[in-house]
Amino acid sequence: MYVNGVTLRNRGLPDSHRIGVYRQTGGYGALAKVLQGPMSPDQIISEMKLSALRGRGGAGFPTGLKWSFMPKGVAGTKYLLCNADEGEPGTCKDRDIMRYEPHRLIEGMIIGAYAMGARSGYIYIRGEFVEPIRTVEAAIDEAYAAGLLGERILGTDFSFDLAVHRGAGAYICGEETALMESLEGKKGQPRFKPPFPASYGLYGQPTTINNVETFASVPDIVLHGGEWFLKLGKPNNGGTKIFSVTGHVRNPGNFEVPMGTPFRDLLGMAGGLHPGRRLKAVIPGGTSTAMVAGDAMMELAMDYDSISKAGSALGAGSVIVIDDSVCIVRVVERIARFYMHESCGQCTPCREGMGWLWRVLHRIENGQGREPDLDLLQNVGSRIEGRTICALADGGVAPVVSSLRLFPEEYEHHIRQGSCLVTDSRSVA
Amino acid sequence: MPRIEIDGQELEVSAGTTIMEAATQLGIYIPFFCYHPKLSVAANCRMCLVDVEKQAKPLPACATPASDGMKISTSSRRARMAQQGVLEFLLINHPLDCPICDQGGECPLQDVTMGYANPHSLYTEEKRVVEDKDIGPLIATEMTRCIQCTRCVRFGQEIGGIMELGATGRGEKMAIGTYVGRAVRSELSGNMIDLCPVGALTSKPFRYRARSWELKHTPSLCPHCSTGCSTDVQSLGREVLRVTPRINEAVNEEWICDRGRFAYAGLGASDRITRPLLRVNGRLQEVSWAEALDAAAAGLEQVLAENGPDSVSGVISPQSTNEELFLFQGLLRGLGVQAIEHRLRQTDFRADAAMPLYPALNMSLEHLEGESLVFLCHAYPREQQPLTNHRLRKSVLAGGQVWAVDSVRREFNYPVHGLVAEAGQDAALYRTLARCVQGLAEEDGAGLPAEVLEAACALRDAADPLLLVGSGVLQHPGAAGLMAAIAELAEAAGARVGWLAEAANSAGAWLLGCVPGRLPGGVPAGTDSRPPAGGAWDARFRAWILMGVEPGLDAMAAVQARQSLADARFVLTISAFLGEAEAYADVVLPMAVWAESAGSYFNNEGRLQSFRAAVKASGEARPAWKILRVLADHLQVADLAFDDLDSVRSAWETRLGDFPLDVPAFGGFPEGLALMEGAGSPGEGCRILGDWSIYQGDPLVRRSVPLQQPAGCRLHPETAARQGLRDGDMVELQGPGGQGTQLPLALDAGVAPGAIWLSLGHPGTQALGGVGATVVLARAGVSAGAQA
Amino acid sequence: MLSEASLAEIARERAKYPPERARSALLAALRIAQAEHGYLPETLVEYVAGLLELPAIQAFEVATFYSMYDLRPVGKYKFCVCGSVSCFLNGSDGILAHLQERLGVGLGETTPDGLFTIAEVECLGACKDAPVMQLGDRYVETLTPESLDVLIGQLRGGRDDVR
Ligand SMILES: Cc1cc2nc3c(=O)[nH]c(=O)nc-3n(C[C@H](O)[C@H](O)[C@H](O)COP(=O)(O)O)c2cc1C
Ligand code: SF4
Ligand code: SF4
Ligand code: FES
Ligand code: FES
């Protein structure tokens, strides 16, 4: 199996974040191939399409297709943005790429900029990631010093500037248009689409945005070809993908495995469950995706299509494992709090509905639930879903509705007995 | 051209049309809150969700462009469910305090709730309470009612041009407020009250005065500037309780400024006169109309008989209606009086012959939006004509340029290139510009400030520049020279020229002969009728007829006016307010004030607009046109015996005849016009600059308590430093007559060194001598800030 | 109101963006100002807005939208403990309870000596290292009551280079 071979390949090497180490392991070879080969922008994009690389930020949109949307021959600067806002509970992969492989990300962005004619780029990193920010900034400096960024890269006519923009604490800035607003110095409130970023993005200019892992996958695709990458995974689900396995496992971590790897194997890599525990549920793609019952999950393969067939989504590959030691109502109440706290507040259903959901859940959790509350949660959820500007609100509804479907007895127990069906034996204090 | 179908009706729309706009074209109503046709689309309230065939989710009509073949349903089950769902969310945290809410009866949220809400709310959690903020004397807030539609915030950014309200916090904590509870200052702020779809922002002066459905609505006009905005005067019984804009795309779109909205609060001023007054043994006493009219006629006849008609001066407010202006000049001319004036703020009349038929914008307000280069010549439309200024703002947002040449740097609500004359060098600056525009090709303009060259280049290179002449020109002590210099510049630059007329009916005053030397229609009145050197307040006069004016506050030459009026043999004041007339009037006739009377105005475009009375006049006050008519009767002036307002109107219309809306901006200037500049050197004192602020310019607005701002003065930091003065100090100012006044000082690098900026129209500042005079300053007290 | 060093840093941030896009540097300018003063008093927010020629309310909107800005004074060490799901599953509630007990102050409060503030924050993006907290420029991972006790002792002793 091809494990930890693409975006995290150098993770174990000392000083893997330095340009020297990266170069020694073939780094910037793809860029040289592109610029000196040379490969035309169209060739790059067709390799990207062939690779079936799908956006690693959560939505899984085919990257090659996205790149082909960027208009050609327009006036003014085109921008390329990297989304390193990584904020969805359960997601912690981009941080490792930035800490251990910043040059892979930078190389991917330079190639992307070349393919799409972008003159300027920003990496939007969440503000809490101070250490990764410093690592990436140092790597950018190294790349400038090596003539890989700035004017006339590697002596060609191609120029590209890149800088880090720091966030300041807001999950919503991971949403691509909120990120652009934030980059413009505003509150991170998503824009209504259309217009889409490819025509009206940062500063109103054509813009493409991709996730850190998406960009970090680019150099190998260019070096080895789209076909190679595709074959690492499954049709329509090309390549390998990092899965952040967290929660109730013995050895949580980031595991880069081929698309389609059975969940069972992934769980094994993460050390399995704690002794004596039973798998209750898994959130396969970060808290914005629906819960899957433990048993069902054990039979699933980790790729976009398989997980969505099971009624959830692969999201950013953030696998949250929940065993039988915890009450699902508590877990969901905690997740709902996140969305209430992180709603940007502009859409009525999200601003008002997220707090409503949490308040009802909080009541239930504290033994003040009432019989009609379960219907109420469904009802409120259905009024939110699909009626907001961005997908945050849908993401906040998914865990609530899916848990109601999967674990009605835990909710009912709360309402009728005023207490948990399971006693949480794991809390540390 | 996409063809679409909404609720079964087909329609072809232009590309980019939203579903909301298309529905409006068809007369189909889609509920909405955040959408507003004059604001950017926020799409945040989600009330306008509609059902679009083949779309997985309902789409917001306000933000979704109609595309070919779309089949839209605004009231299918899915659309209704979505709308109902959103409404429920809006209501869960909305207080149900409609019975005590001023918005009640005119509240979109209330209306939509009637039509769309599910009567049984499922919400049982505690409602959110949002802390209220004091954002100044004009807007009352009740932030718990806010539905976060951000219309108010977008208004500030997009229309008002200064962002004062913002939405702070995020998620359900998002709340509207100013920066740390600061007061809103925008001159357009009241429009946010109209925009707010709930009772979160309401009118503070109107608060709890009446329920909206009790109010009588009278379409009216704003009497406070030459834009002539359409308003709706709302009254209960005899009292005006509220003024709001009426939609008039050609003039004010759907906005009015705060002056127009809140000046009505001055109607109830304590010095409102409701009965005629007569001076008996030195004191004014209430008398009957008959007595007062007899006394007025007798007093005037005596002066006329003993001193002749050239000893009488008539001064009428340029806020007067056409009918009043026409009768006023008719009455005076019927008495043989030539000195008829409405220009209170002007002191230099040497170029009267060069004045146009009327101060015409020479274009439509709407066209102003499309200008690419506008030079404001001593004009500050932001305070003088706020909604005309709004058109200029739009021209800038559309890529145009505005330059402001003035004796002080003014604060605009859009980017403006400023060019400030050195103290007393205003005309010289225009001359220099004219020379540069002509000579730039040969001469490199060495030694000139870069901005002057830049301005000249802009003018030279512009295809069709426009100069707008503002009231600062006429207020200048050397107005004639300034006008001539501007005419030179216009000629050199091949620019069109328009006037920004000062008052609501300055145009009418010119057109209907309320200037010496011109009869209605601009017909010359004869050679001997030029104003004397002292204008309307010349020592030659022995008697005055004043209508709607308070010269001690309204006149640039207030010092002289006061003196003359104090020394007068006879003064007849026709006014709504007693004010300073108490000191000098012999007879005071109480007139109905705006909102109590009817009439017509010409606005800056030459647009004739009329209005009706909204309420009955207070007490025994009478419409001014009737007073003038009766006076004419008493004084045996013929041909003014009109029975009603319509016949006055036909009479002036006949006299005026047809006239062109666009007129030459300048006629001929007299030979050898001296510039009259450069008086007063900084060593001896400071040269006065100043203007009537937006809320100080006429008797009504200066009585509106919520609008009042204290007087102050501003100095260049260098000037202040030389005098040992600091920001916030109280400064003692000594005028020519020795009168002193104390004002708080603000430092402002936009005031030319050696000059002092005063807010005019206040009793203290009007005693100092007017623009161009010199004052001596000293520190009067120590400010708290300076002590610390 | 800001030191030369801070102003220079803001100028560097400013240079990252097109000349007419000063507003883009607002987030950074507020962060730099906060780093110098410990928090963002209202006058400082307005000052920063002035530096970038923005309306004060715009800066205030931003300062209240993002969670990393402190508009009230906080302790020298602000323990931002993640309470989101992966950390929760790994005992973050216990960590927070332990901290409150040890420091004698509640969530959002600062110890009387001005040293410590406890805050519960949402996911820090380090879920595999749960439970996690952000402490200034760094993350402290796989927290246990014992490791916290050691850390608090070291910070009290003036050492702040602890991992
Ligand atoms: C609420 C919300 C939060 C998001 N957060 C992130 C994030 O932290 N990182 C990310 O890469 N994408 C995030 N996304 C997805 C982005 O909007 C966008 O789809 C992605 O950056 C595109 O990159 P990709 O095509 O490479 O995945 C988020 C989306 C939503 C709706
Ligand atoms: S759905 Fe929520 S987070 Fe997304 S734009 Fe609307 S209010 Fe903001
Ligand atoms: S105050 Fe009124 S206009 Fe402003 S956001 Fe709230 S509801 Fe909308
Ligand atoms: S009116 Fe369309 S979303 Fe508010
Ligand atoms: S859940 Fe705590 S770091 Fe992500």
Side-chain angles (χ1 to χ4, degrees):
Chain A
M1 210 198 313
Y2 206 84
V3 176
N4 299 333
V6 180
T7 66
L8 290 176
R9 191 189 322 144
N10 290 353
R11 180 169 52 173
L13 302 180
D15 280 344
S16 63
H17 59 285
R18 303 296 306 273
I19 194 166
V21 175
Y22 184 58
R23 280 199 144 145
Q24 277 160 27
T25 56
Y28 290 110
L31 181 62
K33 178 173 168 188
V34 162
L35 292 183
Q36 284 151 3
M39 268 173 95
S40 73
D42 285 346
Q43 274 173 297
I44 298 172
I45 290 177
S46 63
E47 287 302 322
M48 292 301 296
K49 284 184 175 162
L50 192 58
S51 75
L53 171 66
R54 293 171 59 169
R56 302 303 195 216
F61 193 84
T63 305
L65 188 61
K66 187 189 266 189
W67 287 17
S68 70
F69 291 157
M70 200 67 151
K72 297 200 171 101
V74 292
T77 310
K78 289 191 264 182
Y79 289 96
L80 186 64
L81 305 180
C82 173
N83 190 338
D85 195 52
E86 186 151 74
E88 177 150 327
T91 315
C92 56
K93 63 194 178 65
D94 299 338
R95 172 166 172 256
D96 274 2
I97 296 176
M98 291 188 284
R99 289 200 293 179
Y100 302 120
E101 300 262 16
H103 282 286
R104 199 176 297 283
L105 161 63
I106 294 167
E107 184 179 9
M109 285 192 78
I110 303 172
I111 294 170
Y114 172 78
M116 288 175 271
R119 177 65 182 80
S120 184
Y122 297 96
I123 305 177
Y124 186 108
I125 310 182
R126 62 177 299 169
E128 294 88 343
F129 278 175
V130 181
E131 285 174 302
I133 286 168
R134 294 197 175 132
T135 311
V136 172
E137 281 180 335
I140 289 177
D141 289 346
E142 286 181 328
Y144 267 103
L148 297 163
L149 280 173
E151 301 284 329
R152 306 185 57 81
I153 293 170
L154 296 179
T156 63
D157 282 346
F158 168 60
S159 305
F160 178 60
D161 282 306
L162 184 62
V164 168
H165 181 96
R166 280 200 207 189
Y171 162 62
I172 190 58
C173 291
E175 196 283 336
E176 56 192 23
T177 56
L179 183 147
M180 291 169 203
E181 291 282 298
S182 183
L183 235 164
E184 293 180 5
K186 305 174 191 164
K187 295 180 290 181
Q189 293 190 322
R191 302 173 182 167
F192 180 77
K193 295 181 273 194
F196 292 93
S199 57
Y200 189 96
L202 181 64
Y203 306 135
Q205 291 297 114
T207 302
T208 295
I209 178 163
N210 280 115
N211 172 256
V212 173
E213 189 186 352
T214 311
F215 280 124
S217 307
V218 170
D220 273 14
I221 294 174
V222 166
L223 264 185
H224 308 301
E227 180 79 23
W228 167 84
F229 190 77
L230 171 65
K231 290 213 163 126
L232 289 179
K234 292 165 70 172
N236 195 33
N237 293 270
T240 55
K241 157 105 195 72
I242 302 178
F243 292 98
S244 309
V245 186
T246 67
H248 290 155
V249 290
R250 285 179 12 171
N251 181 19
N254 284 323
F255 308 94
E256 189 176 36
V257 297
M259 281 288 189
T261 299
F263 169 75
R264 189 182 291 277
D265 296 357
L266 193 60
L267 186 61
M269 289 181 189
L273 300 176
H274 293 284
R277 287 296 166 198
R278 195 179 59 79
L279 181 64
K280 174 144 82 182
V282 173
I283 302 180
T287 49
S288 297
T289 61
M291 263 180 203
V292 178
D295 299 344
M297 196 67 205
M298 290 306 273
E299 309 307 321
L300 286 181
M302 298 303 292
D303 61 76
Y304 293 102
D305 296 341
S306 309
I307 303 287
S308 77
K309 228 175 280 163
S312 187
L314 193 70
S318 321
V319 183
I320 303 165
V321 177
I322 303 167
D323 70 21
D324 59 351
S325 66
V326 67
C327 165
I328 221 74
V329 182
R330 279 194 75 186
V331 175
V332 174
E333 186 253 7
R334 185 55 58 103
I335 294 175
R337 189 188 72 179
F338 173 83
Y339 289 92
M340 171 178 70
H341 190 252
E342 299 299 332
S343 162
C344 83
Q346 58 176 334
C347 308
T348 304
C350 179
R351 177 184 66 245
E352 307 295 342
M354 292 296 141
W356 194 353
L357 288 178
W358 176 78
R359 283 182 179 81
V360 175
L361 285 163
H362 189 66
R363 256 196 310 105
I364 299 176
E365 162 64 16
N366 286 323
Q368 285 139 19
R370 301 187 279 259
E371 278 305 325
D373 280 347
L374 301 187
D375 285 343
L376 179 62
L377 288 172
Q378 296 274 12
N379 184 320
V380 174
S382 71
R383 291 172 198 229
I384 298 171
E385 263 187 307
R387 295 177 185 172
T388 53
I389 291 180
C390 87
L392 179 139
D394 291 356
V397 171
V400 178
V401 173
S402 57
S403 65
L404 279 170
R405 195 185 61 240
L406 294 174
F407 305 101
E409 69 288 353
E410 296 204 21
Y411 282 94
E412 279 155 14
H413 192 272
H414 258 281
I415 288 174
R416 293 187 189 137
Q417 318 298 327
S419 65
C420 292
L421 189 60
V422 256
T423 26
D424 183 353
S425 59
R426 191 173 304 278
S427 66
V428 172
Chain B
M1 296 270 276
R3 284 197 70 79
I4 60 168
E5 190 188 299
I6 308 183
D7 294 349
Q9 299 187 54
E10 280 201 31
L11 167 80
E12 191 168 298
V13 294
S14 53
T17 305
T18 62
I19 296 176
M20 180 70 86
E21 287 160 348
T24 309
Q25 284 174 32
L26 285 174
I28 294 173
Y29 171 75
I30 300 172
F32 63 89
F33 294 113
C34 69
Y35 167 74
H36 189 279
K38 298 269 180 206
L39 300 176
S40 65
V41 172
N44 59 26
C45 78
R46 317 306 286 176
M47 191 61 224
C48 66
L49 292 174
V50 293
D51 187 0
V52 180
E53 203 180 86
K54 297 201 203 80
Q55 291 288 328
K57 306 171 181 176
L59 297 177
C62 67
T64 308
S67 61
D68 202 40
M70 253 185 190
K71 282 209 169 80
I72 298 143
S73 169
T74 68
S75 54
S76 67
R77 196 182 127 72
R78 199 161 73 126
R80 279 256 159 187
M81 290 282 289
Q83 292 157 3
Q84 238 179 46
V86 170
L87 192 60
E88 165 103 23
F89 285 128
L90 283 171
L91 292 175
I92 61 173
N93 278 309
H94 192 78
L96 297 174
D97 62 349
C98 306
I100 56 148
C101 176
D102 268 346
Q103 192 85 354
E106 50 186 17
C107 175
L109 183 60
Q110 207 176 29
D111 297 345
V112 174
T113 300
M114 303 293 182
Y116 294 82
N118 180 341
H120 307 289
S121 174
L122 299 170
Y123 192 72
T124 56
E125 318 305 315
E126 210 168 301
K127 285 193 180 237
R128 177 166 70 226
V129 175
V130 184
E131 190 199 342
D132 260 323
K133 291 130 192 156
D134 184 359
I135 61 168
L138 304 178
I139 303 177
T141 67
E142 193 71 60
M143 282 310 175
T144 302
R145 296 182 188 141
C146 171
I147 57 168
Q148 285 87 359
C149 70
T150 69
R151 276 185 176 190
C152 55
V153 178
R154 282 175 284 146
F155 176 87
Q157 285 177 292
E158 297 164 19
I159 309 286
I162 48 172
M163 189 179 173
E164 298 184 285
L165 285 185
T168 57
R170 78 174 179 221
E172 58 179 35
K173 298 215 173 80
M174 171 174 163
I176 302 295
T178 53
Y179 184 75
V180 208
R182 206 164 277 180
V184 165
R185 286 173 48 234
S186 161
E187 69 282 3
L188 300 177
S189 74
N191 294 297
M192 296 190 279
I193 297 169
D194 301 338
L195 282 178
C196 180
V198 295
L201 305 179
T202 54
S203 162
K204 213 177 240 185
F206 177 66
R207 205 162 206 203
Y208 306 139
R209 296 297 306 278
R211 305 298 294 167
S212 65
W213 55 86
E214 302 169 332
L215 295 171
K216 177 181 135 200
H217 295 250
T218 310
S220 187
L221 279 184
C222 179
H224 298 286
C225 87
S226 61
T227 311
C229 298
S230 297
T231 56
D232 176 31
V233 175
Q234 303 176 19
S235 55
L236 186 63
R238 286 186 155 219
E239 218 183 342
V240 174
L241 290 182
R242 196 159 66 167
V243 175
T244 58
R246 256 184 313 130
I247 295 182
N248 184 350
E249 278 303 320
V251 179
N252 52 304
E253 302 175 51
E254 55 189 83
W255 320 118
I256 52 173
C257 75
D258 289 357
R259 173 169 58 187
R261 184 183 298 267
F262 295 111
Y264 78 86
L267 289 172
S270 59
D271 67 342
R272 189 66 211 275
I273 322 163
T274 51
R275 294 197 61 197
L277 303 173
L278 177 65
R279 193 169 296 274
V280 181
N281 298 329
R283 293 199 32 222
L284 289 175
Q285 291 184 357
E286 292 192 346
V287 294
S288 71
W289 267 101
E291 254 178 294
L293 286 167
D294 286 346
L300 283 171
E301 272 163 351
Q302 194 180 4
V303 178
L304 284 166
E306 294 173 13
N307 305 87
D310 282 351
S311 68
V312 177
S313 171
V315 182
I316 183 168
S317 158
Q319 272 186 305
S320 308
T321 62
N322 293 325
E323 292 68 30
E324 292 158 1
L325 290 159
F326 179 69
L327 287 171
F328 189 80
Q329 64 85 35
L331 171 66
L332 274 93
R333 291 206 162 98
L335 297 171
V337 174
Q338 301 296 334
I340 301 165
E341 192 55 274
H342 73 279
R343 296 170 294 174
L344 289 132
R345 300 180 185 177
Q346 192 169 341
T347 55
D348 177 7
F349 303 101
R350 292 170 302 147
D352 270 12
M355 286 302 289
L357 174 63
Y358 75 103
L361 189 60
N362 282 335
M363 62 195 305
S364 73
L365 285 162
E366 281 173 298
H367 276 106
L368 222 42
E369 288 177 16
E371 291 297 326
S372 53
L373 180 70
V374 177
F375 261 68
L376 294 173
C377 305
H378 283 62
Y380 190 35
R382 178 166 178 208
E383 286 204 358
Q384 304 305 338
Q385 300 89 3
L387 271 310
T388 301
N389 185 57
H390 177 57
R391 304 282 182 169
L392 287 171
R393 179 164 190 276
K394 283 171 138 180
S395 82
V396 170
L397 295 183
Q401 249 188 45
V402 171
W403 283 77
V405 188
D406 210 330
S407 27
V408 68
R409 196 174 299 278
R410 313 269 203 162
E411 213 183 302
F412 282 84
N413 51 350
Y414 45 91
V416 161
H417 305 263
L419 209 55
V420 178
E422 284 171 35
Q425 298 296 310
D426 302 278
L429 178 57
Y430 289 106
R431 286 241 160 113
T432 308
L433 277 172
R435 255 192 296 111
C436 289
V437 172
Q438 276 170 326
L440 266 183
E442 308 98 65
E443 185 183 272
D444 63 1
L448 287 173
E451 7 170 57
V452 172
L453 288 176
E454 208 188 312
C457 289
L459 268 180
R460 184 199 57 188
D461 299 340
D464 192 15
L466 172 69
L467 304 191
L468 290 178
V469 185
S471 42
V473 171
L474 298 174
Q475 290 172 20
H476 195 273
L482 205 51
M483 275 167 60
I486 291 169
E488 260 176 60
L489 175 61
E491 166 105 27
R496 291 164 298 141
V497 183
W499 285 79
L500 287 172
E502 190 174 72
N505 206 17
S506 297
W510 278 96
L511 287 167
L512 294 170
C514 282
V515 267
R518 289 198 198 175
L519 302 177
V523 177
T527 43
D528 56 341
S529 51
R530 272 180 303 129
W537 319 113
D538 198 87
R540 165 183 116 188
F541 299 119
R542 304 301 302 134
W544 275 268
I545 304 178
L546 306 177
M547 194 169 122
V549 296
E550 300 183 279
L553 296 173
D554 286 327
M556 181 64 84
V559 175
Q560 192 185 0
R562 284 183 191 196
Q563 190 60 50
S564 295
L565 290 167
D567 296 346
R569 276 191 69 182
F570 184 76
V571 178
L572 167 60
T573 295
I574 306 170
S575 172
F577 305 104
L578 183 55
E580 62 186 41
E582 173 141 42
Y584 54 69
D586 294 291
V587 178
V588 182
L589 302 179
M591 70 177 203
V593 70
W594 163 87
E596 297 173 353
S597 62
S600 65
Y601 286 155
F602 284 106
N603 83 345
N604 206 171
E605 305 161 290
R607 183 189 297 270
L608 177 62
Q609 309 188 99
S610 45
F611 60 96
R612 305 194 265 126
V615 292
K616 286 220 180 68
S618 304
E620 293 179 19
R622 292 286 171 270
W625 75 269
K626 283 193 182 161
I627 300 177
L628 292 168
R629 209 209 70 124
V630 174
L631 266 178
D633 217 32
H634 271 68
L635 290 160
Q636 281 132 38
V637 175
D639 298 335
L640 298 179
F642 301 104
D643 290 335
D644 53 31
L645 204 57
D646 285 345
S647 36
V648 186
R649 175 149 171 184
S650 337
W652 71 249
E653 280 182 334
T654 312
R655 275 293 287 283
L656 177 58
D658 282 340
F659 69 96
L661 287 188
D662 292 357
V663 298
F666 299 115
F669 288 91
E671 295 282 323
L673 204 54
L675 287 187
M676 302 217 311
E677 290 199 307
S681 79
E684 312 141 18
C686 287
R687 201 186 148 85
I688 296 180
L689 303 171
D691 204 345
W692 280 259
S693 82
I694 175 167
Y695 304 132
Q696 216 54 49
D698 61 61
L700 180 58
V701 71
R702 71 169 67 98
R703 284 177 172 75
S704 170
V705 175
L707 288 176
Q708 288 316 294
Q709 291 161 355
C713 62
R714 300 194 328 244
L715 286 175
H716 192 281
E718 278 172 24
T719 321
R722 213 172 26 241
Q723 310 255 1
L725 296 168
R726 281 186 290 182
D727 202 52
D729 279 353
M730 281 306 282
V731 178
E732 169 86 23
L733 302 167
Q734 288 279 323
Q739 298 99 322
T741 193
Q742 293 194 356
L743 292 173
L745 171 68
L747 299 189
D748 180 353
V751 177
I756 182 165
W757 174 270
L758 301 178
S759 28
L760 301 181
H762 295 269
T765 53
Q766 287 312 96
L768 293 171
V771 169
T774 305
V775 281
V776 179
L777 4 159
R779 173 131 150 230
V782 179
S783 69
Q787 275 170 334
Chain C
M1 284 190 93
L2 289 180
S3 66
E4 286 301 317
S6 293
L7 291 173
E9 203 181 336
I10 292 173
R12 274 197 302 281
E13 289 290 338
R14 177 71 196 76
K16 287 181 179 174
Y17 310 98
E20 70 283 8
R21 300 291 180 176
R23 191 172 175 183
S24 279
L26 177 58
L27 269 64
L30 288 170
R31 178 190 78 234
I32 293 161
Q34 171 165 307
E36 183 174 329
H37 286 254
Y39 74 109
L40 288 172
E42 283 150 5
T43 47
L44 187 57
V45 174
E46 188 171 20
Y47 173 81
V48 168
L51 280 183
L52 300 172
E53 295 180 35
L54 300 172
I57 184 71
Q58 256 173 24
F60 197 56
E61 279 191 341
V62 164
T64 54
F65 183 89
Y66 295 94
S67 60
M68 288 176 72
Y69 299 120
D70 290 312
L71 297 167
R72 300 274 158 264
V74 291
K76 184 172 177 199
Y77 303 107
K78 188 177 173 195
F79 292 149
C80 299
V81 180
C82 172
S84 284
V85 66
S86 300
C87 290
F88 163 78
L89 292 174
N90 284 287
S92 62
D93 282 3
I95 294 294
L96 278 164
H98 181 77
L99 270 178
Q100 294 179 57
E101 195 196 298
R102 274 309 294 262
L103 298 174
V105 293
L107 281 187
E109 292 175 4
T110 302
T111 52
D113 59 6
L115 269 187
F116 302 106
T117 302
I118 312 174
E120 181 173 1
V121 299
E122 299 293 354
C123 178
L124 289 165
C127 327
K128 71 183 174 63
D129 304 311
V132 184
M133 75 171 175
Q134 187 199 357
L135 174 57
D137 282 359
R138 63 184 186 271
Y139 279 10
V140 189
E141 298 164 355
T142 38
L143 298 169
T144 61
E146 298 72 36
S147 73
L148 274 172
D149 289 347
V150 173
L151 176 68
I152 291 168
Q154 285 167 324
L155 293 173
R156 282 210 171 113
R159 283 191 49 201
D160 55 6
D161 56 345
V162 195
R163 289 221 147 240

